């Protein structure tokens, strides 16, 4: 026994068998990794990296510290709640920093950034930048006040002090209609609160669109699954037909159909359902958004439902009927539970697509039917407030993840099937 235990199994070339097996296993793992490496790099570059960049932009605030380094250092000892303006040393540091910033043309970017927090900061820095070269050696405080009296406004210096750190929660506070003040975090005035309303509207309309797609898509998918294969394939072309048409064209078509002088209202007036003076308002509101987006996202509900329903054997329903069940009982007790995984897959797919849509709400939603994604697009492409846009996008992503986790706890993601 001792001789057998001391014997080491080897390969033909004399190497220990265990070492050879470990080496072969490492080689297989490396080969598998190299096969998926291109896809992994693609996912990191196109998906992970933009999300990380968005998270950084939502809290990044280094422009103040980079543009006015001496001023930030001088303001470190100033108490913004004292009610007193900074001393002469701070004004002197500001003059030195602005001379460098004007030469590098960064003072306008700083003014634009601070203008998001305090109205008038952009024009203040532009005006001061044109005059800072003319300033003589001290006292600088009087010269700044001569250039613009706003340099004597305590709120201006409090804003500079508040946003001096390289990171700030200001974007997230603005995304929930709050703001930083010398007295702490406070909600904005009632007439300036926009984003919480938009978040609530986005969730509500996305749920309504998902329910509408389910109510319309379930009977269609049931019919397609029950019909002979040849007939269902022909009808499936009609379901897929919207994918072959531009999204912009489909949305524009709904503008023609839904407007007060459009096709639908003309038909209702013609059949006498409504009077010519009482035409329905179905565009530039939430109704238009729900109708147009339900039409656009309906195929994403039908396809998962159809793929699951196609796997349900008709013999189950026939067996239930043979045991005395009515058509409704056989459907509700036997067929419907088996189609729930398709409902879950379609609902998740439609809801996630709906909550991030912005083209259709922008064209048919008006002021009462736009989503939070429309404001994100506005800040990214128009106002160039990328920090606020990133904060809103991060909060939208977090909301989707939370809802997804809740859905998993209630329904179970394992019950979601695509066929």
């Amino acid at each position: 026994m001792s001789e057998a235990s001391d014997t080491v199994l080897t390969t033909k070339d004399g190497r220990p068998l265990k070492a050879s097996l470990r080496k072969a296993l490492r080689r297989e793992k490396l080969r598998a990794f190299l096969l998926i490496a291109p896809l992994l790099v693609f996912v990191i570059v196109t998906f992970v990296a933009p999300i990380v960049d968005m998270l950084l932009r939502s809290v990044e605030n280094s422009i103040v510290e980079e543009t006015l380094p001496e001023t930030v250092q001088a303001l470190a000892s100033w108490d913004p709640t004292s009610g007193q303006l900074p001393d002469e040393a701070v004004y002197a540091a500001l003059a030195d920093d602005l001379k460098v910033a004007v030469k590098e043309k960064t003072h306008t970017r700083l003014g634009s950034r601070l203008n998001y927090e305090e109205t008038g900061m952009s024009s203040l820095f532009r005006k001061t930048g044109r005059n800072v070269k003319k300033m003589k050696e001290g006292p600088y405080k009087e010269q700044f006040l001569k250039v613009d009296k706003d340099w004597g406004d305590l709120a201006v210096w409090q804003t500079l002090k508040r946003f001096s750190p390289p990171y700030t929660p200001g974007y997230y506070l603005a995304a929930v209609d709050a703001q930083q003040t010398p007295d702490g975090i406070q909600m904005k005035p009632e007439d300036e609160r926009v984003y919480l309303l938009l978040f609530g509207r986005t969730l509500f309309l996305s749920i309504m669109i998902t329910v509408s797609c389910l109510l319309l898509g379930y009977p269609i998918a049931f019919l397609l699954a029950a019909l002979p294969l040849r007939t269902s394939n022909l009808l499936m072309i009609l379901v897929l037909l919207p994918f072959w048409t531009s999204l912009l064209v489909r949305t524009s078509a709904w503008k023609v159909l839904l407007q007060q002088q459009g096709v639908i209202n003309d038909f209702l007036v013609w059949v006498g359902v409504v009077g010519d003076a009482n035409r329905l308002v179905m565009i530039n509101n939430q109704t238009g958004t729900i109708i147009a987006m339900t039409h656009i996202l309906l195929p994403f509900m039908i396809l998962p439902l159809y793929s699951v329903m196609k796997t349900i054997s008709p013999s189950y329903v026939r067996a239930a009927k043979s045991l005395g069940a009515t058509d409704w009982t056989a459907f509700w007790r036997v067929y419907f539970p088996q189609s729930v995984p398709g409902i879950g897959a379609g609902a998740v797919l439609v809801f996630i697509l709906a909550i991030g849509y912005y083209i259709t709400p922008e064209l048919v939603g008006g002021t009462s039917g736009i989503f939070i994604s429309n404001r994100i697009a506005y800040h990214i492409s128009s106002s160039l407030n990328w920090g606020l846009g990133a904060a809103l996008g991060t909060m939208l992503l977090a909301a989707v993840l939370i809802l997804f986790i809740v859905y998993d706890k209630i329904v179970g993601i394992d019950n979601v099937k695509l066929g």
Side-chain angles (χ1 to χ4, degrees):
M1 292 292 293
S2 60
E3 292 178 0
S5 61
D6 294 338
T7 303
V8 178
L9 296 177
T10 60
T11 59
K12 289 183 179 180
D13 55 1
R15 295 180 180 180
L17 181 60
K18 289 184 178 180
S20 298
L21 289 175
R22 286 196 297 267
K23 184 177 181 180
L25 185 59
R26 285 196 301 269
R27 189 184 301 113
E28 290 298 322
K29 289 182 177 179
L30 179 60
R31 184 180 294 113
F33 176 77
L34 292 177
L35 288 174
I36 68 168
L39 178 60
L40 180 63
V41 172
F42 177 79
V43 170
I44 292 175
V45 172
T46 62
F47 183 73
V48 177
I51 291 179
V52 173
D53 181 67
M54 180 178 66
L55 293 173
L56 292 176
R57 286 183 182 274
S58 65
V59 295
E60 190 271 335
N61 189 54
S62 60
I63 185 172
V64 179
E65 188 179 42
E66 293 175 354
T67 309
L68 307 175
E70 294 183 17
T71 307
V72 170
Q73 187 175 358
L75 280 173
S77 59
W78 175 66
D79 183 7
T81 62
S82 63
Q84 301 293 326
L85 291 174
D87 56 21
E88 175 64 23
V90 176
Y91 283 93
L94 178 62
D96 293 338
D97 286 335
L98 279 179
K99 290 176 182 178
V100 176
V102 169
K103 186 180 298 184
E104 296 177 355
K105 299 181 179 180
T106 57
H107 66 293
T108 55
R109 291 177 52 245
L110 174 61
S112 299
R113 164 66 186 95
L114 294 176
N115 201 69
Y116 299 140
E117 314 299 336
E118 183 72 26
T119 304
M121 295 291 279
S122 179
S123 59
L124 175 62
F125 274 90
R126 290 178 184 275
K127 184 178 180 180
T128 308
R130 292 193 296 267
N131 293 276
V132 71
K133 293 181 180 179
K134 303 175 185 178
M135 292 184 180
K136 301 177 181 179
E137 289 293 332
Y140 286 103
K141 183 175 182 179
E142 295 179 1
Q143 297 182 67
F144 273 102
L145 293 175
K146 186 176 180 181
V147 170
D148 197 307
K149 63 180 181 180
D150 284 348
W151 287 115
D153 187 355
L154 191 62
V156 170
W157 291 102
Q158 289 173 339
T159 301
L160 277 174
K161 171 77 173 183
R162 194 161 56 248
F163 292 94
S164 295
Y167 300 100
T168 176
Y171 292 124
Y172 284 101
L173 292 175
V176 294
D177 297 324
Q179 59 185 348
Q180 278 184 306
T181 67
D183 300 325
I185 298 174
Q186 296 180 355
M187 295 298 293
K188 291 183 178 180
E190 288 285 348
D191 57 347
E192 296 181 14
R193 299 178 188 178
V194 177
Y195 299 113
L196 289 179
L197 173 65
L198 286 178
F199 271 114
R201 179 192 298 168
T202 300
L203 291 175
F204 171 73
L205 291 181
S206 297
I207 292 173
M208 291 296 296
I209 291 165
T210 303
V211 173
S212 300
C213 287
L214 177 60
L215 294 177
L216 293 174
Y218 195 95
I220 297 173
F222 179 82
L223 178 64
L224 292 173
L227 289 173
L229 184 62
R230 181 181 179 85
T231 305
S232 64
N233 287 340
L234 291 175
L235 294 178
M236 183 60 71
I237 295 176
L238 300 178
V239 175
L240 299 176
L241 190 61
F243 290 128
W244 306 336
T245 309
S246 168
L247 174 62
L248 190 61
V249 172
R250 283 180 281 164
T251 305
S252 300
W254 277 112
K255 289 180 68 70
V256 175
L257 291 171
L258 296 175
Q259 61 184 323
Q260 285 188 289
Q261 302 299 324
V263 176
I264 296 178
N265 266 302
D266 285 345
F267 176 77
L268 294 177
V269 171
W270 180 65
V271 298
V273 175
V274 297
D276 189 58
N278 299 314
R279 289 172 175 259
L280 302 179
V281 181
M282 297 181 291
I283 197 71
N284 296 328
N285 52 26
Q286 295 183 13
T287 302
T289 299
I290 293 174
I291 293 174
M293 289 189 62
T294 298
H295 167 253
I296 291 170
L297 298 178
L298 187 59
F300 295 99
M301 178 66 75
I302 294 175
L303 294 176
L305 283 170
Y306 171 75
S307 63
V308 171
M309 290 177 176
K310 199 65 179 176
T311 63
I312 300 175
S313 175
S315 60
Y316 296 142
V317 176
R318 290 198 297 267
K321 290 181 179 180
S322 68
L323 294 174
T326 62
D327 290 340
W328 170 251
T329 302
F331 169 78
W332 185 248
R333 299 285 298 275
V334 177
Y335 190 89
F336 182 80
Q338 297 182 78
S339 67
V340 168
I343 295 175
V348 169
L349 189 59
V350 170
F351 180 80
I352 292 178
L353 289 173
I355 203 172
Y357 246 68
Y358 73 95
I359 295 179
T360 303
E362 183 72 24
L363 293 178
V364 302
T367 57
S368 64
I370 61 172
F371 285 10
I372 190 64
S373 51
N374 296 104
R375 299 305 299 173
I376 296 174
Y378 168 76
H379 288 305
I380 295 297
S381 60
S382 298
S383 72
L384 301 183
N385 191 353
W386 291 357
L388 180 54
L392 291 170
T394 302
M395 292 181 64
L396 183 62
L397 176 62
V400 172
L401 291 177
I402 292 172
L403 290 171
F404 189 78
I405 293 172
V406 171
Y407 178 87
D408 182 37
K409 294 295 183 181
I410 297 175
V411 178
I413 198 63
D414 293 336
N415 293 325
V416 174
K417 296 180 181 178
L418 293 173

